[in-house]
Amino acid sequence: MRITQILFDFIKSESFGGIFLGISTIMALCVANSPLFNYYHDFFEMPFGFTFGEYFVGMSIHFWINDVLMSFFFLLVGLEIKREMLFGELNSFSKSAFPAIAAVGGMVVPGLIYYILNIGTESSHGFGIPMATDIAFALGVMLILGKRIPISLKVFLVTLAVVDDLGAIVVIALFYGGDINILWLIASSIVVGILIMCNIRGVKLLSVYLVLGIFLWFFVHLSGIHATISAVVLAFCIPVKAKIGFKKFNKEMEVWANKYQHDKLDKDSILLDHNKLEFVQEIQNSAKNTQNPLLRLEHFLQPWSAYFIMPCFAFANAGVNIQSNFNFNIDHIFLGVFLGLVIGKPIGIFLSSFLCEKLGIAKRPDGISWAYIIGAGMLAGIGFTMSLFVSGLAFTYEEAKELSKITILLASLTSCIIGVVFLLLCGKSKN
C-alpha cells in the first residue's frame, strides 16, 4: 500500500511532467529509427476531420497537435503569466526586475549567436530557436535536485522561465507568422473587444470565454498570425475575480449548517431525497461561484498539459530519423542552436543579471550566489518544447527542420547534464 501511495505521489509531482516528457521523446526517437518510421511519419501526416458531401473540413494529425492542442498549452502559459503578473513574482518591479532582466539576456545572447553564425543564409530565420527555455524540463530537473539547492533559486528559475515564455510568445507573434490579412485581423480585434467587454461587465462563465476563444482562434489563424497566440490573448481576458466572495460563502455555509440541523437532513439513507439533493446542489453551485475563473481553468488545464498535450507534442515532433548520411552541415544551424542553448543561455543570463545588480536596477535574491545563477542559466539551456515549436515555424524545408530538432535534443541533454553537475558541485561547496 505504501509503495502504491509513493508511486501515486510521484506521478502527481511537478517533476514527473518533465520525466514523462522525456519518456515520450525517447519513444519518438526509437520509433523514428526503427522499421516503423514510415508508419510513424504517415500517421501524423494523415488528414483528420469531417466530410460533408464532396467537401472535407480538417487538417493533418500533426497540425491538430501543433496548432490546436498546443493552443491549450499556450492558454495555460498565458494564465500562468497573468497570475504571476497579478499575484506572483511579477506583480512588482522590485520582485520581477532581476529575473526578468536575466530572462531577456538569456534570450538576446543565444539569438545573436545563432544569427551571427547564420547571417546571410536561408537559415537565419531560425534565430528564435535557441531563445526558448522549457519550464517543465528545467523545473523538473531542479525539483529532483531537492534540498541540494536553495528554494530562492527555484523561484528565480520559475520567474525567469515565465518571462522567457512571454518573450517567446512575442517573438512568435512578430517573426513567425504568415502574410497578414487585414480583414481577418480586424475580425480578431472585434472578438478581443467582446472578450474585454465580457470581463468588464463581470461575466464569469468560462464557457462564454471559451466559445469566443474558438472564434478568435479561427480568425487569428486566417489573419496570418500563428493561431496559438490567440490562446494567450484569451488567457489575459479570463476574469480573476470570483462571482461571490469567500466571506459570503462562509456565511452561506453557516446558514446551511443551521438549516441542516433544523430540517434533520442527517437521517441515514442510501438514496438522497429531494431536500438533500437541493442542499448538495446549492453547496456545489456556491462553491463553484467562489472559485476564481482563472485559477479554476488553470487547474483544469494543468494535468491535461503535463500528461497529454506535451507528451503528444514531444512524440509527434521529436521523432528524427538519424541516418548514417545525416547532413549536419546545412549552413550553421547545428552550431547556432547548440552554442546558443549550451553557451549563450548561461552567459546571457549571468551577464544581464550581473549588470542589473551592478547598475543598481535590482538586487540579487538572498541566498543565491553568482555560481547558482550560472547553474540556473545552464538548466535554462534546456530549450526542448518551445525550441521544437519555433523550429517547426522557422524552416520550410524538411532537412533543416530535422537538423534543428536533433540539435535541440543534443543541446538540451548537454545543458541538463552540465547544469545538474555544476549545481551539485555548488551545493557541496556550500556544505
Side-chain angles (χ1 to χ4, degrees):
M1 182 67 181
R2 180 169 172 76
I3 295 174
T4 306
Q5 186 61 43
I6 291 171
L7 181 62
F8 183 70
D9 291 340
F10 174 66
I11 290 172
K12 285 176 65 180
S13 69
E14 292 178 81
S15 57
F16 184 75
I19 293 169
F20 196 28
L21 206 55
I23 293 170
S24 301
T25 304
I26 293 168
M27 288 174 60
L29 286 168
C30 290
V31 173
N33 291 278
S34 74
L36 298 174
F37 171 71
N38 288 331
Y39 296 104
Y40 170 85
H41 180 269
D42 292 344
F43 173 78
F44 287 111
E45 293 306 317
M46 184 172 62
F48 180 79
F50 307 95
T51 302
F52 300 96
E54 298 179 357
Y55 299 99
F56 174 77
V57 179
M59 54 200 84
S60 68
I61 293 176
H62 196 270
F63 188 93
W64 275 102
I65 293 171
N66 284 21
D67 287 62
V68 179
L69 275 185
M70 284 298 284
S71 291
F72 290 100
F73 166 74
F74 275 85
L75 175 59
L76 177 62
V77 169
L79 293 170
E80 290 174 344
I81 292 171
K82 182 176 180 178
R83 173 172 50 79
E84 289 294 323
M85 284 181 165
L86 293 175
F87 309 108
E89 295 299 318
L90 300 178
N91 72 338
S92 68
F93 181 81
S94 59
K95 288 197 290 185
S96 65
F98 190 82
I101 290 171
V104 172
M107 295 183 73
V108 171
V109 174
L112 282 174
I113 289 173
Y114 181 95
Y115 189 75
I116 290 169
L117 288 170
N118 290 278
I119 192 167
T121 69
E122 291 183 13
S123 305
S124 61
H125 200 50
F127 65 87
I129 298 170
M131 295 173 74
T133 294
D134 189 299
I135 188 170
F137 260 136
L139 184 58
V141 171
M142 193 165 276
L143 288 172
I144 289 171
L145 291 173
K147 295 180 180 179
R148 298 179 183 88
I149 55 174
I151 294 175
S152 53
L153 186 65
K154 296 174 185 176
V155 175
F156 169 77
L157 183 62
V158 170
T159 311
L160 182 147
V162 169
V163 177
D164 192 286
D165 280 346
L166 182 60
I169 289 163
V170 172
V171 169
I172 291 168
L174 293 178
F175 301 104
Y176 294 106
D179 295 328
I180 302 298
N181 186 306
I182 300 298
L183 289 176
W184 287 117
L185 194 60
I186 292 171
S188 303
S189 303
I190 292 170
V191 176
V192 173
I194 296 171
L195 284 165
I196 293 171
M197 284 303 300
C198 287
N199 193 316
I200 293 171
R201 301 285 295 184
V203 177
K204 307 298 181 186
L205 284 173
L206 284 174
S207 56
V208 173
Y209 292 92
L210 294 176
V211 169
L212 288 169
I214 293 171
F215 284 101
L216 181 61
W217 187 95
F218 277 107
F219 294 162
V220 170
H221 174 66
L222 294 170
S223 73
I225 299 172
H226 199 271
T228 51
I229 301 302
S230 64
V232 181
V233 175
L234 172 63
F236 277 82
C237 296
I238 299 293
V240 176
K241 192 174 180 182
K243 194 170 184 179
I244 63 172
F246 189 78
K247 285 185 179 179
K248 185 178 178 181
F249 175 71
N250 197 32
K251 286 181 179 178
E252 287 181 351
M253 287 291 288
E254 292 175 5
V255 172
W256 287 327
N258 294 330
K259 184 180 179 183
Y260 181 89
Q261 292 177 351
H262 182 265
D263 292 349
K264 297 180 180 180
L265 297 174
D266 56 344
K267 290 180 180 178
D268 191 23
S269 174
I270 295 174
L271 295 176
L272 298 180
D273 58 29
H274 177 71
N275 289 333
K276 286 182 179 179
L277 284 171
E278 267 193 3
F279 178 71
V280 171
Q281 191 66 46
E282 282 181 20
I283 293 176
Q284 286 178 334
N285 289 336
S286 191
K288 186 178 178 180
N289 291 331
T290 309
Q291 297 173 24
N292 306 87
L294 184 143
L295 292 178
R296 189 148 52 91
L297 183 57
E298 185 182 335
H299 289 160
F300 173 78
L301 289 173
Q302 186 66 53
W304 282 100
S305 176
Y307 305 128
F308 179 68
I309 296 172
M310 300 311 296
C312 277
F313 176 81
F315 187 72
N317 289 274
V320 184
N321 184 235
I322 309 169
Q323 302 172 354
S324 58
N325 60 346
F326 195 84
N327 184 11
F328 281 90
N329 298 313
I330 302 173
D331 299 327
H332 290 108
I333 293 176
F334 180 83
L335 282 175
V337 173
F338 191 87
L339 294 179
L341 287 172
V342 178
I343 306 297
K345 273 287 182 181
I347 289 177
I349 288 170
F350 173 75
L351 286 179
S352 57
S353 55
F354 184 80
L355 288 172
C356 176
E357 181 168 278
K358 295 304 176 185
L359 294 173
I361 299 171
K363 184 178 176 293
R364 182 166 27 115
D366 296 332
I368 300 181
S369 65
W370 288 116
Y372 276 133
I373 295 289
I374 295 171
M378 290 174 178
L379 288 186
I382 305 174
F384 197 66
T385 306
M386 287 298 257
S387 293
L388 286 174
F389 188 80
V390 175
S391 172
L393 303 176
F395 302 123
T396 54
Y397 49 110
E398 202 60 33
E399 280 190 334
K401 283 185 182 181
E402 297 297 291
L403 176 57
S404 64
K405 285 179 183 179
I406 194 64
T407 310
I408 290 164
L409 296 175
L410 289 171
S412 296
L413 180 61
T414 304
S415 294
C416 178
I417 292 170
I418 63 174
V420 168
V421 172
F422 189 86
L423 285 172
L424 286 173
L425 291 174
C426 287
K428 283 185 178 180
S429 66
K430 292 288 179 182
N431 297 330

